[in-house]
């Protein structure tokens, strides 16, 4: 009888051992899931700290390309992304300053060209007329809007014709 009771106790200890194993496994699984969720959360936070400023930089480049030189990114961090944001903000400030200086210089040039008595015609590398001041229009007998953005040989073709006519008349040859 004592052996039977001992054997019965021994068998029941196996059942509690199995329950104990299951409870340990469930506890281990709960800890692992908690750690996995925490790792995913940390990864998402780190990714957001990188992707959000980069997305703002991309939006900023679009705004600057549209001509909005007042666009600033308000992002404070001491890492490489923060340095990139600071460089972007510095670049847009420099661009704005250069753009304003260029506009002032263009305005000054236009004032000077408008008020001098000498005729001035400027062309780009392709020979297209980019500037003609009032004195040049008067001297050449053309309207600025008729010759702007045209090649000089096309814009002043009639002047070549007039010059040729004058030469022919000076030589005494009949037309």
């Amino acid at each position: 009888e004592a052996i039977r009771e001992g054997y019965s106790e021994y068998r029941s200890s196996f059942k509690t051992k199995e329950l104990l194993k299951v409870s340990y496994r469930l506890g281990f699984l709960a800890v692992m899931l908690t750690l996995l969720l925490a790792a995913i959360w940390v990864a998402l936070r780190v990714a957001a700290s990188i992707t959000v400023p980069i997305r703002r930089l991309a939006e900023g480049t679009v705004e600057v390309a549209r001509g909005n030189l007042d666009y600033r990114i308000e992002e404070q961090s001491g890492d490489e992304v923060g340095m990139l944001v600071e460089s972007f903000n510095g670049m847009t400030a420099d661009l704005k300053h250069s753009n304003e200086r260029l506009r002032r210089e263009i305005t000054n040039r236009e004032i000077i060209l408008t008020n001098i008595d000498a005729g001035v015609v400027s062309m780009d590398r392709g020979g297209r007329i980019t500037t003609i001041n009032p004195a040049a229009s008067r001297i050449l007998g053309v309207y600025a809007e008729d010759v702007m953005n045209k090649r000089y040989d096309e814009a002043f073709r009639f002047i070549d014709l007039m010059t040729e006519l004058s030469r022919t008349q000076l030589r005494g040859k009949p037309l």
Side-chain angles (χ1 to χ4, degrees):
E1 181 89 18
I3 291 175
R4 252 189 223 167
E5 274 183 38
Y7 183 70
S8 176
E9 241 178 72
Y10 176 72
R11 294 291 288 163
S12 71
S13 73
F14 274 121
K15 290 180 184 177
T16 51
K17 187 177 179 183
E18 287 300 317
L19 288 174
L20 193 58
K21 280 183 180 178
V22 169
S23 68
Y24 279 142
R25 286 180 183 157
L26 286 175
F28 181 73
L29 182 63
V31 168
M32 291 304 292
L33 284 176
T34 303
L35 288 174
L36 180 65
L37 290 174
I40 290 172
W41 182 79
V42 167
L44 290 175
R45 296 286 293 178
V46 168
S49 72
I50 294 171
T51 57
V52 169
I54 289 176
R55 183 173 35 84
R56 288 186 183 146
L57 279 169
E59 292 168 355
T61 57
V62 169
E63 285 296 315
V64 169
R66 288 183 184 153
N68 181 5
L69 299 179
D70 291 320
Y71 191 87
R72 296 285 177 269
I73 299 172
E74 302 302 326
E75 189 70 35
Q76 301 295 323
S77 68
D79 59 359
E80 291 84 3
V81 175
M83 189 171 65
L84 187 60
V85 167
E86 287 176 22
S87 296
F88 175 84
N89 288 337
M91 178 197 68
T92 56
D94 290 345
L95 279 173
K96 183 177 181 182
H97 176 71
S98 296
N99 196 20
E100 289 170 356
R101 193 176 73 229
L102 182 62
R103 286 177 196 234
R104 282 193 306 268
E105 288 177 11
I106 288 171
T107 302
N108 289 341
R109 184 190 70 183
E110 287 174 354
I111 290 170
I112 291 169
L113 287 177
T114 301
N115 293 317
I116 63 172
D117 290 332
V120 178
V121 177
S122 62
M123 295 172 274
D124 63 12
R125 291 182 182 187
R128 295 202 177 282
I129 298 171
T130 57
T131 307
I132 183 167
N133 71 342
S137 293
R138 191 176 58 255
I139 292 168
L140 297 172
V142 297
Y143 293 107
E145 55 272 2
D146 292 340
V147 295
M148 288 297 290
N149 296 317
K150 290 185 179 176
R151 282 189 43 84
Y152 70 91
D153 51 356
E154 177 186 338
F156 301 127
R157 184 172 291 145
F158 75 95
I159 293 175
D160 292 338
L161 178 63
M162 295 295 282
T163 305
E164 190 61 37
L165 286 173
S166 297
R167 284 187 197 146
T168 306
Q169 284 185 346
L170 286 176
R171 290 185 199 140
K173 296 181 184 175
L175 298 174

